[in-house]
Amino acid sequence: MSSEHVVGAAAAAGAGRRGGVGGTPFGMSRAQTLLVHAVLVLLCVPALLPMAWMVSTSLKADEQIYASQNQAAKGAAAAAPFSAESLVPQPVKWRNYPEAMTTVPFLTYLKNTLVLCLLTVVGVVLSSAIVAYGFARLAFRGRDVWFYVMISTMALPGQVTMIPVFALFRALGWYGTFLPLVVPAFFGAPFFIFLLTQFFKTLPGELAESARVDGAREWTIFTRVILPLAKPALATVALFQFIGTWNDFFGPLLYLNDPGKYTLAYGLQQFLSSYGGKWAQLMAAATVFTLPIILLFFFAQRTFIQGVATTGGK
Amino acid sequence: MAARRVRWAAAVLAAVALVALFAAPSASPTEPKYPRRIPVRLWHMWTAEWAVVVERICQRFNESQDTYEVIPLSVPALGADSKFLLAAVGGDPPDVMAQWNPVIPTWAENRLLTPLDELMTPEERERFEREAYPVVKKLGYYKGRLYGITTGMNAFALYYLPAHFRDAGLEPEIPPTLEELVAVGDRLKRVDAAGHLSRIGYLPTHGLGGMFGISPVFGGGFYDWKTGTVTIDTPENLRTLRFLVEQRRKLGFDEVVRFESGLNTQSFAGGWPFIGGAYSATQDGQWRVEQIRKYAPRLQYRTAPLPPPREGGVPLAGASNGNFLIIPRASRNPKGAFEFVKFWTGVARPERAAEFYTWGGWLPISPAVVNAPIYQEYLRKNPQFKTFVDLIASPHLEVYPPVPYQVFLMDQITRVEDLAVRGTLTPEQALQRLKVALEQERARRRQMGYVE
């Protein structure tokens, strides 16, 4: 079976799940579909409300934010916290955004975060894929034992290894640099290795066999045959790693000592300590912090869901 | 074709954005400005305008001599302890750190801190002993050794709104006894048409305004400084807890919860419910004076110490805590660090350090600082601050007991207080439970090999 067949079969299965072009899922009528969607949208509302509150507050003036409290204090009826009236900023104060962005060196933090995200994503995807391929497709003595050893490291809490790892990085002279945050990514991550191993095991062995018959070596099989088929799984790993690095607060806290190297998650925490009372600016910073992740999910959701489904994570 | 163009345009835009992003100037790094000097690395947890104050103090120090350079680094409060502990264990801590006082007993017990009295000359030791306020010494010493010197103390007093008093037909003054304050509070409270609280006259707050913070005005407290032991179920503490329970019961526990849940939960700065008039009188720290000046400059308010109860009461009593400079045992440059500690705190020259205390609106280490002309000028401009300066000089201020299980103890005190005011336990049962929990914790620590 060629890779086109594999992808084609998956696409056909996906199309089948979606009910085909022009049809409705599960043989429902249009009215039933509308009803189901309406219910689903309603169920989404509670989950979306905090997000709506965040965006709405980020556009409000301080007077409006504190109005409900002051009204309550005066015994007057205050608008409910999530009512439509309270969610609409009056007036809309766009200035909160530039104010939040200039209060902390946002661009510097963004640059540092992107550098770290890029390097760790590359590192984790490359190293985890190589290791996972070995576990999934190569036969060597003690493979299963090493696999279980690797899996068992996931059960080890970070606090246990924190001090020796810190001492090691310090001895290497990496303390205060990006290296402790980047280099470990190039040595594979157990969870991603496990995920990719499971995925590689699902690929038909005939693909590699055919390539071998044609004279391909293992590295060629891995890079030319397996990796192209593993795009959804690799995208999932990349996305998880990106989000992990994007949100990482403790790594930069422990290893960085230079404000010029701080990241967004660290900067947001600093912003929170500094301007906890300035809700509008705080929410503006939080919105900007959250936005790239939402956009990433928005644009990569199909690949991501496909990856999660094919790796058995769903 | 069109799709390809769009893709190209998106790629070019992304590339331009990335170039612009990476061309952005970096924040000023913590590189030495005086490479020939011995660096003294300071970690602190101040941010925003407070971080600017710290940087100014460091700059002043760096300009005052030519041997050392203090390089400050602001560390987020969340995780600052972890960062310090890891760095200390890893052998690369800062040379000096500004920390809250509760770390002193635990870190000193674990031999992470340098005793500062080792670095003092006999004259400096004698002067510190003579001049520092009692509460500064209570917090800085652990098992007879000085481990921290304050850069700013905290005290807690009543803030009240004279307009509310006048509206209720009362003199806008805090009465001399706690019982009278409670009666005044009853007249100041307001309920809405549905019978729910819309304003609280006076109600003891949680934390340092709760059992721990109020027990000293009843003559109680949780540590006997003479015997060096924790005290729990004393008659004074029991009386304190009964008082707290009674106040909540009178207003209705659920009613108070309902009222408070309608207020701003993050009472930072301008969001403090007192500013909005939710309370006529409430207890809080001296930093509110500066916040009101900034965020509600037109607010007419006053401050006063919490009055003592009629019988057995202690005036000018309460709780205190503060920010302290500590020097890690693994500091590479303890001498330079201590020079900076003396400079900032005023151990060296109080009249010079007085200016730093006014920059931050901080309560000072000693009367020598208060008496400096610059500090007196600050008090003239901020008359409500004087209440706190009077309080900090009091010998009746209590602090978290200097025991290594301090965090556990304070957590348990808050917990049993909560159970008592909710009516789950009687005050007697609550203190008994606290006593038992503490004994169990101490036994557990002994089993683990800790020495008290």
Side-chain angles (χ1 to χ4, degrees):
Chain A
M1 191 191 276
S2 69
S3 62
E4 285 80 8
H5 281 125
V6 174
V7 175
R17 278 195 298 273
R18 287 194 299 274
V21 179
T24 51
F26 309 112
M28 286 189 290
S29 69
R30 192 164 289 277
Q32 283 173 318
T33 309
L34 274 174
L35 186 70
V36 168
H37 277 84
V39 171
L40 289 175
V41 167
L42 269 179
L43 288 174
C44 285
V45 168
L48 287 174
L49 265 180
M51 196 77 79
W53 187 86
M54 177 178 78
V55 177
S56 140
T57 307
S58 75
L59 293 169
K60 284 180 185 172
D62 280 351
E63 296 76 38
Q64 193 185 356
I65 294 170
Y66 293 122
S68 58
Q69 175 200 311
N70 293 340
Q71 281 169 338
K74 287 169 191 162
F82 289 111
S83 67
E85 180 197 348
S86 75
L87 282 177
V88 177
Q90 288 170 337
V92 177
K93 203 178 161 199
W94 293 104
R95 213 173 43 192
N96 291 333
Y97 279 82
E99 277 174 11
M101 297 303 98
T102 48
T103 308
V104 292
F106 180 80
L107 283 183
T108 304
Y109 295 167
L110 179 63
K111 180 174 73 179
N112 296 335
T113 310
L114 286 178
V115 167
L116 283 176
C117 284
L118 182 75
L119 293 174
T120 55
V121 164
V122 169
V124 153
V125 169
L126 274 181
S127 56
S128 301
I130 292 170
V131 177
Y133 181 74
F135 280 132
R137 309 306 293 258
L138 301 183
F140 56 92
R141 187 179 289 179
R143 182 180 70 174
D144 290 349
V145 173
W146 285 116
F147 184 72
Y148 291 126
V149 168
M150 188 274 301
I151 292 289
S152 65
T153 60
M154 282 200 283
L156 212 57
Q159 288 82 350
V160 175
T161 53
M162 198 189 273
I163 292 173
V165 168
F166 180 88
L168 174 72
F169 288 143
R170 189 178 161 270
L172 290 169
W174 293 359
Y175 182 49
T177 72
F178 281 151
L179 291 173
L181 305 174
V182 171
V183 173
F186 284 83
F187 287 84
F191 177 66
F192 297 141
I193 294 171
F194 171 73
L195 209 69
L196 290 173
T197 305
Q198 299 309 105
F199 177 78
F200 291 151
K201 279 181 179 172
T202 64
L203 295 178
E206 292 85 349
L207 292 171
E209 279 308 313
S210 311
R212 234 172 246 126
V213 168
D214 289 344
R217 292 187 174 186
E218 215 56 60
W219 181 252
T220 311
I221 296 170
F222 172 63
T223 53
R224 298 278 179 85
V225 179
I226 302 296
L227 283 190
L229 289 173
K231 274 181 196 165
L234 296 176
T236 304
V237 168
L239 200 64
F240 275 139
Q241 180 60 39
F242 184 91
I243 294 167
T245 308
W246 184 268
N247 291 331
D248 185 21
F249 165 70
F250 268 95
L253 170 79
L254 298 180
Y255 290 110
L256 300 179
N257 284 329
D258 180 349
K261 291 194 177 82
Y262 287 170
T263 58
L264 273 178
Y266 195 100
L268 192 68
Q269 185 56 46
Q270 226 180 10
F271 194 97
L272 182 66
S273 337
S274 314
Y275 306 99
K278 294 188 177 177
W279 280 107
Q281 284 88 343
L282 183 63
M283 289 303 113
T287 304
V288 172
F289 180 76
T290 318
L291 203 61
I293 298 289
I294 293 173
L295 287 177
L296 199 65
F297 264 101
F298 187 76
F299 287 113
Q301 59 173 320
R302 186 168 292 179
T303 315
F304 179 61
I305 289 168
Q306 202 180 346
V308 171
T310 50
T311 50
K314 190 176 163 186
Chain B
M1 198 63 185
R4 186 179 284 184
R5 266 194 222 132
V6 169
R7 244 179 270 153
W8 268 105
V12 169
L13 271 177
V16 170
L18 274 177
V19 169
L21 182 63
F22 282 81
S26 292
S28 58
T30 49
E31 291 299 317
K33 290 191 180 77
Y34 307 92
R36 286 170 185 272
R37 296 191 189 178
I38 303 166
V40 174
R41 292 163 305 143
L42 163 73
W43 286 1
H44 64 86
M45 292 182 287
W46 282 285
T47 48
E49 66 258 45
W50 310 107
V52 175
V53 170
V54 174
E55 279 159 20
R56 278 175 75 191
I57 294 168
C58 295
Q59 193 186 334
R60 279 283 181 92
F61 176 75
N62 293 339
E63 289 165 0
S64 72
Q65 43 74 51
D66 53 14
T67 311
Y68 306 107
E69 179 186 0
V70 170
I71 304 167
L73 177 72
S74 173
V75 178
L78 174 72
D81 290 6
S82 306
K83 186 174 171 73
F84 171 82
L85 291 171
L86 204 57
V89 174
D92 200 1
D95 296 303
V96 54
M97 187 173 187
Q99 258 287 4
W100 317 126
N101 60 277
V103 302
I104 292 176
T106 316
W107 290 2
E109 182 70 26
N110 290 325
R111 299 177 57 77
L112 291 168
L113 303 182
T114 302
L116 302 183
D117 40 4
E118 273 180 9
L119 301 166
M120 284 173 152
T121 62
E123 294 75 36
E124 284 167 346
R125 264 201 298 271
E126 187 274 327
R127 186 173 179 181
F128 179 80
E129 281 299 322
R130 180 165 36 88
E131 289 190 350
Y133 288 132
V135 70
V136 171
K137 287 185 271 188
K138 271 183 182 175
L139 285 169
Y141 273 100
Y142 178 68
K143 290 189 176 174
R145 306 300 303 265
L146 181 67
Y147 287 100
I149 300 181
T150 189
T151 59
M153 297 295 297
N154 295 323
F156 300 82
L158 286 171
Y159 286 77
Y160 64 100
L161 297 168
H164 285 195
F165 283 62
R166 288 193 197 99
D167 289 347
L170 296 161
E171 280 298 310
E173 299 289 341
I174 293 295
T177 67
L178 192 57
E179 289 80 358
E180 287 168 283
L181 173 65
V182 168
V184 164
D186 289 343
R187 289 181 60 181
L188 289 168
K189 85 168 183 195
R190 293 287 177 270
V191 290
D192 61 19
H196 295 305
L197 274 175
S198 61
R199 184 172 89 192
I200 285 181
Y202 163 71
L203 181 70
T205 47
H206 302 289
L208 287 176
M211 176 158 68
F212 179 78
I214 290 186
S215 58
V217 301
F218 284 87
F222 288 84
Y223 194 72
D224 184 337
W225 293 86
K226 284 179 192 146
T227 60
T229 51
V230 174
T231 50
I232 303 287
D233 53 349
T234 61
E236 293 81 9
N237 287 350
L238 183 60
R239 211 175 139 210
T240 308
L241 191 52
R242 280 181 181 153
F243 169 77
L244 294 172
V245 170
E246 176 61 15
Q247 300 316 306
R248 291 263 160 173
R249 193 197 55 75
K250 265 194 337 191
L251 289 175
F253 179 79
D254 291 339
E255 195 55 40
V256 173
V257 170
R258 187 183 184 282
F259 174 78
E260 288 180 340
S261 62
L263 302 176
N264 191 0
T265 51
Q266 294 289 338
S267 60
F268 293 107
W272 186 29
F274 173 76
I275 292 177
Y279 298 94
S280 301
T282 189
Q283 213 176 353
D284 218 308
Q286 81 287 340
W287 56 85
R288 297 293 189 187
V289 173
E290 188 66 11
Q291 288 180 345
I292 292 173
R293 189 182 68 75
K294 277 185 189 161
Y295 299 106
R298 287 197 292 274
L299 184 75
Q300 296 293 313
Y301 76 101
R302 292 181 194 170
T303 60
L306 184 70
R310 199 171 288 124
E311 283 179 27
V314 179
L316 283 176
S320 176
N321 57 22
N323 293 299
F324 280 69
L325 286 176
I326 53 175
I327 299 180
R329 196 171 273 274
S331 163
R332 288 180 197 162
N333 182 14
K335 277 189 180 173
F338 190 61
E339 285 305 312
F340 178 66
V341 171
K342 288 192 292 182
F343 179 86
W344 183 351
T345 59
V347 167
R349 281 176 50 192
E351 69 288 352
R352 177 178 59 191
E355 189 175 13
F356 311 149
Y357 285 102
T358 63
W359 287 348
W362 293 318
L363 290 169
I365 184 174
S366 67
V369 173
V370 175
N371 294 332
I374 200 161
Y375 205 87
Q376 286 297 313
E377 180 59 24
Y378 178 77
L379 291 179
R380 264 192 294 279
K381 285 183 185 160
N382 299 280
Q384 300 309 326
F385 205 76
K386 191 171 180 309
T387 301
F388 299 94
V389 174
D390 294 342
L391 262 170
I392 206 67
S394 168
H396 307 304
L397 290 186
E398 275 310 318
V399 300
Y400 289 178
V403 290
Y405 46 88
Q406 185 187 77
V407 175
F408 174 86
L409 174 63
M410 296 312 298
D411 180 52
Q412 290 297 318
I413 289 175
T414 311
R415 192 170 292 184
V416 298
E417 178 186 343
D418 195 46
L419 289 170
V421 296
R422 280 170 190 269
T424 310
L425 297 176
T426 64
E428 290 82 356
Q429 287 170 330
L431 290 182
Q432 194 54 35
R433 179 175 288 196
L434 175 61
K435 196 175 177 184
V436 171
L438 187 65
E439 278 164 9
Q440 285 171 346
E441 171 66 10
R442 290 172 64 186
R444 195 177 67 85
R445 289 179 63 86
R446 278 194 295 274
Q447 262 183 350
M448 290 170 70
Y450 287 104
V451 182
E452 281 189 25

